[in-house]
Amino acid sequence: MIVVFSGPPGSGKGTQAQRVSKVFDLEYISTGNILRSEIALGSPLGRSVKDVIGSGAFISDKMVLEVLEAELRRKPSKALLLDGVPRTLAQAYMLDDLLAELGLPPVSIVIQFDIDDDVLVERIRGRFSCASCGASYHKKNNAPKIEGVCDYCGSKDFIIRQDDREEVLKKRLEVYYLETLPILGYYKSVGALRRVDASLTPDKVSEEVISIIKKKSEKGE
Ligand code: AP5
Ligand code: MG
């Protein structure tokens, strides 16, 4: 089963992916997390994308697909949770080809995280992330269970993302509406699109997402 999480910046894709991938034993792949790790390592890829990500723009479709392909070859699995990819129509078509080439099933569900822009600003303002595994937290709504310790990997290092400034968020939202929203029409046309109300509490959103994936997996798709 190949599941895609799609939605604007700050809608909770990463938060839900950390939770839900464990429930269904899905291999969790976030292109944003991979790119941020490359930036932290100072690799040639990281150096080439650092300024683009910091500005709130997208990196090229070709580069994203190369990153994704390398990750899929490194961690072969037929059960994937893709967070933040595809996010252009071209990436959606390229992903179809890549999955077929690797002998993987097509995308079965695309879960759209529906939320108003004004909620996103507050979420991004309060966000901090684990420096080691990328897990997202929020000062008020979603703090780690033990203060100062990541729930998922135990790291004690946290960072504030370079693209979490308000003016960059504005740009990220513009790009999202222009480039990413059109993929929803495509996934609707192939019967894969589902929607969740991403403004609910993290636990409520998890319930909705889990129920959608459960229904699909019970049908054996
Ligand atoms: P990426 O890392 O994918 O960022 P994004 O899509 O902008 O989304 P975010 O990670 O900011 O938000 P999220 O939805 O994961 O929310 P989160 O769970 O953290 O991409 C970053 C950049 O990399 C892109 O801008 C681009 O440059 C590049 N890139 C990556 N993939 C690419 C691609 N395919 N093509 C081209 N370029 C690409 O939650 C946000 C906050 O809210 C947190 O503080 C969290 O604790 C809190 N929160 C979460 N859920 C709730 C809730 N239900 N209630 C209250 N608070 C909540
Ligand atoms: Mg994220």
Side-chain angles (χ1 to χ4, degrees), residues 133-218:
C133 72
S136 272
Y137 297 96
H138 189 279
K139 282 189 284 195
K140 280 191 258 160
N141 323 329
N142 189 22
K145 290 190 183 84
I146 301 170
E147 198 187 332
V149 182
C150 176
D151 294 348
Y152 297 94
C153 74
S155 166
K156 293 181 176 161
D157 288 333
F158 294 90
I159 49 157
I160 292 182
R161 279 171 42 175
Q162 58 163 352
D163 54 353
D164 275 354
R165 285 171 289 130
E166 233 160 296
E167 67 278 16
V168 181
L169 174 62
K170 200 165 161 254
K171 167 77 179 170
R172 286 161 67 201
L173 278 169
E174 273 169 30
V175 183
Y176 168 77
Y177 285 116
L178 198 67
E179 301 279 350
T180 308
L181 264 194
I183 73 170
L184 302 184
Y186 171 58
Y187 286 117
K188 191 171 179 203
S189 75
V190 297
L193 184 66
R194 302 288 182 277
R195 291 177 176 276
V196 293
D197 178 355
S199 66
L200 302 174
T201 63
D203 286 350
K204 284 271 176 226
V205 179
S206 296
E207 269 175 38
E208 281 199 23
V209 171
I210 288 169
S211 139
I212 291 170
I213 300 177
K214 216 176 201 167
K215 271 191 205 138
K216 197 79 175 178
S217 67
E218 279 165 4

Side-chain angles (χ1 to χ4, degrees), residues 31 110 121 166:
T31 40
V110 174
V121 177
E166 233 160 296

Side-chain angles (χ1 to χ4, degrees), residues 107-121:
V107 171
S108 23
I109 321 174
V110 174
I111 302 186
Q112 167 66 7
F113 285 60
D114 284 328
I115 192 158
D116 290 340
D117 288 2
D118 48 358
V119 184
L120 300 175
V121 177

Side-chain angles (χ1 to χ4, degrees), residues 41-76:
L41 286 170
S43 69
L45 171 63
R47 289 199 300 273
S48 70
V49 300
K50 187 172 189 286
D51 289 346
V52 180
I53 292 185
S55 75
F58 281 176
I59 68 163
S60 75
D61 294 332
K62 185 171 171 286
M63 210 179 248
V64 172
L65 264 289
E66 281 169 8
V67 166
L68 185 61
E69 178 168 0
E71 191 72 358
L72 293 178
R73 290 190 187 277
R74 203 167 66 81
K75 297 179 178 167

